[in-house]
């Protein structure tokens, strides 16, 4: 008898929705993943990635601009990640700086000696965010991040992530740039326009990304301040566990969310 294949354990990950007030309303920054990427190749996503061991290190947490109690309350309790809240938040800051070159939470129009590019190169070379924060004379601004949602990749996929989605305001004066490795293009998009382009087949996005863009729609014309205030008021963001919808032959035919017909059977 062939033993059952064990389920893939989700890896902690963090993603950030970077927002600005544009000419037509709220805009969110999205980056396009390389066609050679092993996860969601060619799709437009928000900057983010897996949590690394160093993200939750004492040095990283000491460099944050809020203490452990604040992290545990604002993020850990609300999203049910507990004492891993700091690691998720630092990962969000690191991945954003790595993928699109933005140091989130920096004062508007702030300049560092030598510019942001050399610091980003040092991150790509393996230096820690705590070291870069000391060089820049800036904290790791986890307080600038507000939790928005919590998604867990469905069972049955070869790569799974337990992902916190954060929202934050884009730092004025900084210009995002792709890393030409993991990300090959970027775009500031108005949620309704992004969804319309996706429906036409012109803007590839995966399921959780589409649902997240949809979640921005009520605030598309309200402004970033209103959206961030709404996020700060969240009392609970329990993890969402989508399930795969399969046909009689076991082929994946879609994704189901709690409450949708067939969800319980798909378990």
């Amino acid at each position: 008898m062939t033993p059952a294949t064990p389920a893939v354990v989700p890896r902690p990950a963090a993603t950030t929705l970077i927002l600005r007030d544009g000419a037509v309303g709220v805009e969110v920054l999205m980056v396009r993943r390389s066609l050679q990427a092993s996860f969601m190749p060619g799709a437009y996503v928000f900057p983010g990635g897996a949590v690394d061991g160093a993200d939750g290190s004492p040095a990283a947490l000491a460099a944050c601009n809020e203490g452990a109690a604040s992290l545990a309350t604002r993020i850990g309790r609300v999203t049910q990640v507990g004492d891993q809240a700091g690691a998720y938040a630092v990962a969000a800051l690191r991945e954003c700086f790595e993928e699109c070159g933005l140091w989130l939470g920096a004062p508007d129009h702030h300049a560092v000696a030598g510019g942001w590019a050399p610091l980003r190169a040092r991150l790509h070379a393996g230096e820690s965010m705590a070291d870069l924060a000391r060089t820049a004379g800036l904290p790791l601004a986890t307080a600038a991040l507000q939790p928005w949602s919590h998604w867990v990749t469905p069972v049955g996929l070869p790569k799974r992530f337990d992902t916190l989605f954060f929202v934050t305001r884009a730092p004025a004066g900084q210009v995002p740039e792709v890393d030409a490795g993991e990300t090959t293009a970027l775009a500031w998009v108005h949620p309704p326009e992004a969804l319309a382009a996706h429906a036409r087949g012109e803007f590839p996005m995966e399921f959780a990304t589409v649902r997240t863009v949809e979640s921005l729609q009520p605030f598309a014309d309200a402004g970033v301040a209103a959206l961030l205030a709404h996020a700060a008021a969240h009392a609970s963001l329990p993890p969402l566990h989508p399930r795969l919808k399969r046909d009689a032959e076991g082929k994946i035919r879609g994704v189901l969310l709690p409450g949708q017909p067939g969800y319980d059977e798909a378990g």
Side-chain angles (χ1 to χ4, degrees):
M1 181 177 179
T2 303
T5 303
V8 177
V9 176
R11 184 177 179 185
T15 291
T16 308
L17 283 63
I18 304 162
L19 306 164
R20 72 179 186 184
D21 290 309
V24 295
V26 170
E27 295 177 340
V28 61
L29 181 65
M30 301 190 73
V31 294
R32 189 170 196 184
R33 293 183 59 79
S34 165
L35 292 173
Q36 285 70 49
S38 60
F39 186 68
M40 296 194 293
Y44 277 91
V45 299
F46 310 108
V51 176
D52 286 346
D55 294 327
S57 69
L61 298 181
C64 296
N65 66 348
E66 62 182 324
S70 176
L71 285 164
T73 301
R74 284 197 324 105
I75 300 173
R77 185 177 67 191
V78 170
T79 62
Q80 301 179 11
V81 299
D83 59 6
Q84 295 301 304
Y88 276 96
V90 171
L93 299 176
R94 175 182 54 76
E95 286 286 343
C96 181
F97 194 48
E98 186 175 287
E99 291 189 356
C100 61
L102 296 180
W103 190 281
L104 300 178
D108 286 349
H109 305 289
H110 182 82
V112 294
W116 297 106
L119 279 180
R120 188 183 184 194
R122 287 166 57 179
L123 178 62
H124 285 157
E127 284 198 47
S128 72
M129 285 294 284
D131 288 341
L132 298 184
R134 282 193 293 272
T135 299
L138 293 169
L140 299 180
T142 56
L145 303 172
Q146 296 291 347
W148 186 252
S149 61
H150 185 180
W151 288 78
V152 181
T153 308
V155 172
L157 293 178
K159 283 193 174 185
R160 300 183 65 214
F161 295 94
D162 183 335
T163 306
L164 292 191
F165 286 71
F166 295 96
V167 289
T168 193
R169 182 184 295 275
Q174 295 185 45
V175 179
E177 296 180 353
V178 298
D179 64 8
E182 291 185 51
T183 59
T184 58
L186 59 82
W188 287 101
V189 300
H190 187 49
E193 294 174 358
L195 293 169
H198 175 70
R200 295 192 301 268
E202 299 169 0
F203 197 76
M205 295 186 289
E206 298 294 337
F207 178 81
T209 307
V210 173
R211 288 300 181 128
T212 302
V213 175
E214 290 175 348
S215 75
L216 300 177
Q217 288 239 73
F219 307 92
D221 301 318
V224 173
L227 190 153
L228 293 178
H230 176 80
H234 281 140
S236 178
L237 291 170
L240 285 167
H241 291 271
R243 293 177 177 174
L244 299 177
K245 181 180 181 180
R246 298 179 183 272
D247 61 18
E249 298 177 352
K251 295 181 179 179
I252 298 173
R253 296 302 183 189
V255 181
L256 298 169
L257 288 173
Q260 290 184 322
Y263 178 85
D264 292 337
E265 292 78 6

